[in-house]
Amino acid sequence: FGGTALRGSVARLLAMAKHGLDSPINEKAAGIVRKGSGYGGVWTAKDDFESRRRRTKWCQPESVAHLKRKVEPPPRLYVDNRTIIREVVNVCDLQRGDHCMIAINLVRCVSPTLDYLVSILGSLEVIYFYHHFIMVDDVAYVDEQGIPRTESGGLAELVEYANTVPEALMEVRIQSLGSWRRWPMAAARFLLDKSRCQRSALADYGDTKHLYRVVEHVTSEDRQRIVEQAFHLVNNPKTYNVLWNNCEHVTNHISRGHFTSPSMHFGVWGICRAVLCMLGLVCLHALGGACYDRFCVSRPLSALIVYHLFATLPVILQALISFAMVSHTVWKQRAQALISHDDCYHLIGKEFGRLVVVGGGAATAIFFMPEMAWRSRQYVLTGALVLVVYLMSDVIYNFLAHAVMRGVLIPVWGKVWLIGSEDRVNLVMEEVADKSEEPVEKKRPRGPRHRRGKGKPAHRVATDAAPM
C-alpha cells in the first residue's frame, strides 16, 4: 500500500513539473479539486473559461474570406408581436442597460454541447420562450479565452433571475443537510423559490453563442436608471414565481416600467386555443359520430358548425390579428428609425408569408380534418393533428425560412430575402479591411465598431444594436 501511494505521489509531481499546475489534466492527476464560483462552490462554465480549460463560443477566429460572406442577421418579432429583437453578432456591442435574452434552456450547464444545441434551435426560431436579463456593464473587449470584459479588465456582468441544474441540486443538498429523508421537503421549498436574483458574469453564457437584444431607443439617462434599478433589485429581491414574477416580468419592469410577461400570455393563449379545439372535437364526435352510427344520410351540419367555431375560427383570427399587430409594430419602429428600410420590408414579407403559409395552411388542414376523420375512423389521430397543426406549421415555416435564408440567399446573393442594405454591405467591407490589416489572432478589438465611445448618440446605439 505504501509503495502504491508513493508511486502515485511521484506521478502527480512529475505531471505538475512537466505541464504546470494550472493544466486541467494535471489538476486531476494531482488530486486537486477547485471550488467554482457557483452556488455552494459549484463549478460553472465561467470557471472553465477562466481556468483556460476551454474557450467560449464567442472566441471563434474569423478569416477574411469568412467576413466577406458575412451578412448581419435580420431582425425578428418577439412572441408578443410588439417587440423587435436582433441577434448580437459581436458581444462587444453590448452596453449597460441593454435588455437581452437567450433561448430558454431548462438544463443549462449540464453539457456544453447541449447548451450550444439549444442556442442553435433558438436561432432557428423553433424555441418560443426566452430567458431575459439586464446588462450592467459595457463590454469593451473579448480576451483570448473569449471572455467578455469591461474597460478595466473585469468581467462584464448582468442581472438576472436564474439557476442551473448543478446549482439547484447543490441548493437542495444543502437545505436537506445531506440527509435523503429531508430531500422531499427541501425540494418542495426549492420549487417555491427556484431562482435567485443575482449578478452574473456574461461569460456564464459562453456556450450559448446566440444572444438577442431588444431594439429600442435608450438614452444614457435611461441606461443609468435601468442599472440602478437592477442593483436595487439584487439588494431587495422578491420571491421568484414562474407565473407571477419570472425573469421576463422583472426585466420588463426595470427596462420599460411594465410588469408583464408576454411569454406567459403566449403560453396561456396556446392552452386556450387547444381547449377550444378539444371542445370542437368533442362536439364533432358526439353529434357527428352518433349520427353516422345510425347511418344518417345527411351530414351533421350542427356538429360541423360547432367544430369550425371552436377549432378553425380561432386559428384564422390569430393569424389575422398577429399580422395586423406585426404591421403596426414594424412601421412604428421604422418611423422611429430603429430599423432600416430593408429590415422593415423583410419583416413585413416574412410575416405575410407566415400569414399565408402557417395561418392559411393550418386553417385549411383543420377545415378538412372532419372529412378525414369520417373516412379513416381515426378519431384520436385526427384530433391530435388538429391540436398541433398550427404549431407544427409555424415550426416548419421558421425552419425552412432560415434554411433558405442561410443556405441559399446569403451564400449566393449575399442578401436576405433578395433585399440587401448598402450601409450594411459597406460596414462588413470596412470590417474586412480592418481584419486584413491586423493579425486575425488578436482578440482585443479596436476601432469604433468594437469599442464604444462615450459620446456616441443613444439613438445610433439602439439602431446598431441590430444584429438579429
Side-chain angles (χ1 to χ4, degrees):
F1 176 79
T4 304
L6 179 60
R7 286 194 296 271
S9 300
V10 171
R12 288 193 292 269
L13 290 174
L14 290 175
M16 288 186 289
K18 182 178 180 180
H19 299 288
L21 181 61
D22 290 336
S23 173
I25 298 176
N26 297 331
E27 286 183 5
K28 183 177 181 180
I32 298 175
V33 179
R34 293 187 177 183
K35 285 190 176 182
S37 58
Y39 182 87
V42 171
W43 192 268
T44 64
K46 181 198 71 174
D47 300 318
D48 268 352
F49 306 138
E50 287 193 307
S51 62
R52 309 178 71 86
R53 295 188 174 190
R54 55 193 178 93
R55 296 181 176 183
T56 70
K57 296 299 181 182
W58 306 311
C59 189
Q60 298 290 341
E62 295 179 310
S63 63
V64 175
H66 172 71
L67 287 173
K68 288 182 179 179
R69 299 192 302 268
K70 177 181 175 182
V71 176
E72 292 182 357
R76 65 172 66 175
L77 269 299
Y78 191 55
V79 294
D80 61 351
N81 295 320
R82 296 178 178 176
T83 304
I84 296 179
I85 61 177
R86 303 196 74 151
E87 184 177 345
V88 180
V89 177
N90 185 359
V91 293
C92 295
D93 291 335
L94 290 176
Q95 292 183 280
R96 61 199 306 261
D98 282 342
H99 179 174
C100 302
M101 61 186 77
I102 61 170
I104 196 166
N105 184 2
L106 300 179
V107 291
R108 186 168 70 90
C109 292
V110 172
S111 167
T113 303
L114 186 58
D115 292 346
Y116 184 56
L117 177 61
V118 172
S119 175
I120 292 177
L121 293 178
S123 70
L124 297 176
E125 297 186 73
V126 297
I127 295 180
Y128 295 88
F129 296 93
Y130 294 82
H131 170 64
H132 299 248
F133 56 85
I134 294 290
M135 289 295 304
V136 294
D137 286 319
D138 294 333
V139 179
Y141 67 96
V142 175
D143 65 14
E144 63 276 5
Q145 292 299 120
I147 300 176
R149 295 190 178 275
T150 62
E151 192 73 33
S152 62
L155 295 174
E157 292 187 336
L158 52 92
V159 169
E160 61 177 350
Y161 266 99
N163 210 334
T164 63
V165 174
E167 289 178 305
L169 294 177
M170 177 61 71
E171 187 172 347
V172 174
R173 178 182 175 184
I174 293 175
Q175 291 183 3
S176 64
L177 302 178
S179 174
W180 287 100
R181 291 178 298 178
R182 294 190 179 95
W183 262 70
M185 290 301 298
R189 288 194 300 269
F190 168 77
L191 292 176
L192 294 177
D193 188 12
K194 67 184 186 67
S195 293
R196 300 179 303 277
C197 184
Q198 59 190 6
R199 293 180 63 173
S200 305
L202 182 60
D204 277 331
Y205 293 98
D207 294 318
T208 305
K209 182 178 182 180
H210 304 281
L211 303 177
Y212 309 94
R213 174 169 49 183
V214 175
V215 178
E216 57 185 345
H217 180 76
V218 185
T219 64
S220 57
E221 292 79 10
D222 292 335
R223 294 185 184 279
Q224 181 64 28
R225 174 189 57 80
I226 290 172
V227 172
E228 290 177 355
Q229 290 188 5
F231 288 155
H232 176 76
L233 181 64
V234 172
N235 297 327
N236 302 275
K238 296 182 180 179
T239 302
Y240 176 88
N241 187 290
V242 67
L243 297 178
W244 317 118
N245 188 45
N246 60 34
C247 61
E248 187 176 19
H249 282 106
V250 174
T251 306
N252 281 327
H253 178 65
I254 293 175
S255 61
R256 299 182 174 183
H258 302 293
F259 193 80
T260 181
S261 177
S263 296
M264 290 296 102
H265 303 160
F266 176 80
V268 169
W269 165 242
I271 295 174
C272 292
R273 193 183 66 240
V275 171
L276 291 175
C277 288
M278 291 178 65
L279 290 176
L281 290 171
V282 169
C283 295
L284 185 67
H285 178 71
L287 299 178
C291 180
Y292 270 10
D293 288 340
R294 299 184 181 90
F295 303 100
C296 294
V297 177
S298 61
R299 295 190 176 185
L301 182 60
S302 58
L304 286 174
I305 293 176
V306 174
Y307 167 78
H308 291 305
L309 182 64
F310 286 118
T312 310
L313 185 60
V315 171
I316 296 175
L317 290 178
Q318 179 176 355
L320 292 174
I321 294 175
S322 296
F323 181 72
M325 293 177 62
V326 164
S327 301
H328 178 266
T329 299
V330 170
W331 289 112
K332 181 179 178 181
Q333 297 265 18
R334 174 57 186 155
Q336 297 176 355
L338 294 176
I339 59 176
S340 67
H341 179 82
D342 295 332
D343 291 335
C344 174
Y345 282 99
H346 160 73
L347 289 174
I348 292 294
K350 179 183 176 182
E351 297 307 318
F352 180 76
R354 191 186 307 277
L355 169 66
V356 175
V357 176
V358 178
T364 302
I366 294 174
F367 183 85
F368 289 104
M369 204 63 71
E371 184 72 21
M372 183 185 300
W374 286 328
R375 291 188 177 184
S376 64
R377 297 294 179 177
Q378 298 292 332
Y379 295 108
V380 176
L381 178 60
T382 54
L385 290 176
V386 168
L387 293 177
V388 301
V389 64
Y390 186 86
L391 180 61
M392 290 178 56
S393 301
D394 196 54
V395 169
I396 293 173
Y397 177 80
N398 287 333
F399 182 81
L400 293 179
H402 281 273
V404 172
M405 181 178 66
R406 302 182 184 193
V408 179
L409 297 180
I410 292 179
V412 176
W413 286 284
K415 301 178 181 180
V416 178
W417 302 107
L418 298 182
I419 299 176
S421 172
E422 293 298 330
D423 295 336
R424 184 175 301 166
V425 173
N426 293 336
L427 184 60
V428 173
M429 296 310 297
E430 289 176 4
E431 186 176 354
V432 172
D434 293 340
K435 288 288 183 179
S436 62
E437 293 175 0
E438 61 180 350
V440 177
E441 293 80 8
K442 188 154 186 167
K443 298 301 179 181
R444 183 185 290 269
R446 298 182 301 179
R449 170 82 178 146
H450 300 281
R451 195 182 292 271
R452 296 288 184 186
K454 294 184 179 180
K456 188 168 184 179
H459 69 276
R460 177 66 181 275
V461 171
T463 306
D464 291 348
M468 179 171 178

